[in-house]
Amino acid sequence: MTGSLTGKTLVLGVTGGIAAYKSVELLRLLRTAGARVRVVMTRSATRFVGPTTFEALSGEPVWIEMFEARSDAAMRHIDWAQRCDAVVVAPATANILGKLANGIADDPLSTLLLAATCPVMLCPAMNTHMFRHPAVVRNLARLEADGHRILAPDSGDLACGTVGPGRLPDPGVIFDRIRALLAPKDYRGRRMLVTAGPTREMLDPVRFLSNPSSGRMGFAVARAAEHRGAAVTLVSGPSTLTDPVNVATVRVTTAREMAEAVWQHAADVDIVVKTAAVSDYRPGSPATQKIKKEAGDMALILTRNPDILMELGRRKQTGQVLVGFAAETENLDGYAAGKLKQKNLDLIVANRIGAVGAGFEVDTNVVSLFYRDGRREDLESMSKNDLAHLLLDRIANLPSGV
Ligand code: CTP
């Protein structure tokens, strides 16, 4: 399946820096996503993290010494380098960068890097002064010119006590960039707008109306589209998820703010995917002070919010693709097909709320797709990331798609 790491083989190079502990988590993420990972450590890396940890998590022998007694060791630098989809070095010390930039091969990792013809991603991590040293700057420029991907380090407090660039990004970010590296670029040149999360409508300064949407589905679509080369804008209601890398993310609170942000971008995009769970109503007259309880019941007057997708359907330009989501607890087919027609959509993703492994706040989803031409596709339970890629596959095949 597009976007999945199942069937992919990676080499993870670990060199000697404090951040080597983060590559343990990176390995776990890659393995969980289905990748086969072979780990090559420099001798100094083994001073920071034991090879047994990598061996146990990868399920493969870890390569440290060039001339091991194992029968398959002799040609390993060629074999491992050729039988992989990408090589990732995390953390990459000034030493390994210097060696690769100058074609030096004196240990398993530096030798394998010269033999690799697949994409190579280097994740430098070191003291700020080292990172800024002209020799390191020169080596990084050379490596970039040679076609290697460099993941810029984060800035902040470093283990050595300095403050500045040099910190290895979080494993989740490196994992995300590996996914981007391996994804097809079939959305290059396409502009996409994605909405995500709930909206929040204040009742008084301390209370609001909302729903349990976490934003996971929309963030997964935005991330997958970015990985596949699209220029993505994400408009999100309140969500605890962090902004996806390389995605222009606009945070809003209310449905009316979401509508405003959507109008700012909708005319300039080829595809709109509207996963947001927008509040259809808002309190008619929100109180400026906290509402005090009184004896007896209380009635709320609610006012209709704009239906953003309906308006997008009205304004839809020729060639623009509009994808909606429908959350239903009953009559999925009738309601979803109705919304597809009413809102002038090309595709609607119908979510059966209450089904096992579907809906709000879970990592998986069970949906049916309804197409403009009357076709219907029932999908099995899958992760929101896999579903995001499958949707992009389907959108690319729509008559007005990519
Ligand atoms: N939507 C929207 N603006 C709204 C309500 C919904 O843009 N005010 C969009 C959602 O982002 C989603 C689609 O419309 O893509 C369907 O949302 P859903 O809540 O399932 O349905 P509604 O159209 O609100 O209809 P109902 O509440 O009657 O089920």
Side-chain angles (χ1 to χ4, degrees):
M1 178 180 286
T2 321
S4 156
L5 295 186
T6 307
K8 303 278 185 202
T9 301
L10 295 160
V11 167
L12 173 62
V14 185
T15 65
I18 302 277
Y21 74 92
K22 291 190 188 175
S23 47
V24 174
E25 175 62 7
L26 174 62
L27 171 60
R28 207 190 56 77
L29 290 171
L30 291 167
R31 293 284 295 143
T32 308
R36 175 182 191 190
V37 187
R38 291 166 140 174
V39 179
V40 185
M41 296 178 82
T42 59
R43 252 185 240 160
S44 24
T46 63
R47 298 289 192 123
F48 293 90
V49 184
T52 318
T53 306
F54 289 105
E55 217 154 82
L57 286 174
S58 69
E60 310 253 357
V62 170
W63 190 16
I64 302 158
E65 296 298 335
M66 198 67 207
F67 301 101
E68 283 177 9
R70 290 174 59 96
S71 57
D72 66 333
M75 282 295 165
R76 230 188 233 173
H77 61 292
I78 310 290
D79 188 48
W80 285 26
Q82 288 301 311
R83 286 171 202 262
C84 75
D85 298 286
V87 180
V88 181
V89 185
T93 54
N95 188 40
I96 193 75
L97 298 176
K99 283 195 211 174
L100 183 56
N102 292 285
I104 294 169
D106 65 353
D107 65 3
L109 184 58
S110 53
T111 311
L112 179 142
L113 281 166
L114 292 190
T117 49
C118 60
V120 172
M121 190 168 95
L122 305 163
C123 311
M126 66 198 75
N127 164 276
T128 297
H129 302 300
M130 291 174 77
F131 184 69
R132 288 187 173 141
H133 192 283
V136 174
V137 172
R138 199 165 53 234
N139 286 337
L140 282 169
R142 164 75 66 86
L143 290 164
E144 206 152 25
D146 286 349
H148 300 308
R149 315 301 200 279
I150 314 288
L151 182 64
D154 283 348
S155 283
D157 293 327
L158 302 182
C160 50
T162 50
V163 181
R167 193 164 64 190
L168 188 70
D170 285 340
V173 172
I174 305 174
F175 175 64
D176 180 76
R177 291 300 87 194
I178 294 171
R179 284 207 127 124
L181 189 68
L182 294 172
K185 295 291 175 267
D186 53 345
Y187 273 77
R188 189 168 276 153
R190 295 274 136 178
R191 293 157 304 170
M192 186 182 282
L193 174 63
V194 182
T195 69
T199 61
R200 192 180 276 183
E201 313 293 335
M202 298 310 287
L203 193 57
D204 70 12
V206 295
R207 302 179 180 100
F208 55 81
L209 296 180
S210 192
N211 60 67
S213 168
S214 62
R216 282 189 196 130
M217 191 63 237
F219 277 61
V221 171
R223 209 174 284 121
E226 188 275 328
H227 289 176
R228 290 166 73 157
V232 185
T233 301
L234 171 66
V235 176
S236 175
S239 165
T240 55
L241 302 175
T242 47
D243 293 2
V245 181
N246 241 349
V247 168
T249 305
V250 183
R251 301 275 181 171
V252 297
T253 305
T254 66
R256 284 181 296 173
E257 285 168 15
M258 182 170 280
E260 233 1 85
V262 165
W263 303 140
Q264 281 188 15
H265 296 95
D268 304 324
V269 296
D270 306 298
I271 303 155
V272 183
V273 181
K274 225 170 161 313
T275 65
V278 185
S279 303
D280 289 321
Y281 295 91
R282 65 178 181 275
S285 39
T288 49
Q289 304 298 331
K290 186 182 171 195
I291 300 169
K292 290 294 178 187
K293 65 175 167 299
E294 288 171 20
D297 296 339
M298 176 187 181
L300 277 180
I301 304 288
L302 300 176
T303 303
R304 274 293 302 270
N305 268 331
D307 187 326
I308 308 167
L309 191 53
M310 182 86 94
E311 188 54 31
L312 280 167
R314 253 187 239 125
R315 299 185 190 187
K316 188 169 157 184
Q317 298 157 8
T318 326
Q320 197 172 47
V321 174
L322 218 49
V323 179
F325 274 66
E328 308 295 350
T329 54
E330 54 168 356
N331 188 14
L332 187 79
D333 306 19
Y335 286 141
K339 286 175 191 174
L340 177 93
K341 212 160 174 201
Q342 273 164 24
K343 302 194 183 191
N344 192 17
L345 309 179
D346 298 278
L347 172 64
I348 193 156
V349 184
N351 217 316
R352 199 185 299 274
I353 301 298
V356 179
F360 298 125
E361 292 181 312
V362 288
D363 278 323
T364 54
N365 224 345
V366 188
V367 302
S368 297
L369 308 183
F370 294 83
Y371 295 86
R372 198 184 182 89
D373 62 8
R375 273 181 305 130
R376 173 204 173 122
E377 192 180 358
D378 294 317
L379 301 175
E380 290 175 359
S381 168
M382 64 179 83
S383 75
K384 288 182 176 171
N385 176 63
D386 286 348
L387 178 57
H389 277 285
L390 186 143
L391 287 178
L392 293 177
D393 291 347
R394 298 300 186 267
I395 293 169
N397 285 328
L398 289 174
S400 47
V402 177

